[in-house]
Amino acid sequence: MPKPMWEAWGRVNARRGITRTERILDTLRADIDAYGDDTDRADLHEGEKELAKRRARMSPGRPRRSDH
């Protein structure tokens, strides 16, 4: 992706109060939900469980990467 476009998208998302990662995950979820089959939705469910495990391992007071 061209860097100026990536930076502009980051600013737009920041104004919306979300990160690029949050937006990407929202888009993935919506696309899988709208166009996926049962296998795709099962993989989405597994991916959500993996994300929850990763987040649970993070320190409670650890700032987001974008906050440093």
Side-chain angles (χ1 to χ4, degrees):
M1 173 173 292
K3 188 173 180 175
M5 189 182 291
W6 182 252
E7 290 173 352
W9 191 55
R11 291 188 303 271
V12 167
N13 285 312
R15 285 193 294 272
R16 295 177 64 200
I18 59 174
T19 65
R20 289 182 188 106
T21 300
E22 290 166 327
R23 182 64 182 120
I24 290 168
L25 288 172
D26 287 346
T27 301
L28 291 171
R29 289 177 183 115
D31 283 357
I32 293 167
D33 189 48
Y35 307 109
D37 59 18
D38 290 341
T39 301
D40 300 326
R41 288 186 188 93
D43 285 347
L44 173 62
H45 180 71
E46 289 302 311
E48 295 287 12
K49 290 190 323 190
E50 182 178 324
L51 282 173
K53 286 179 186 177
R54 288 181 189 181
R55 290 178 179 140
R57 288 193 305 259
M58 292 179 66
S59 304
R62 181 177 168 186
R64 290 182 178 182
R65 194 176 270 242
S66 62
D67 291 345
H68 317 55

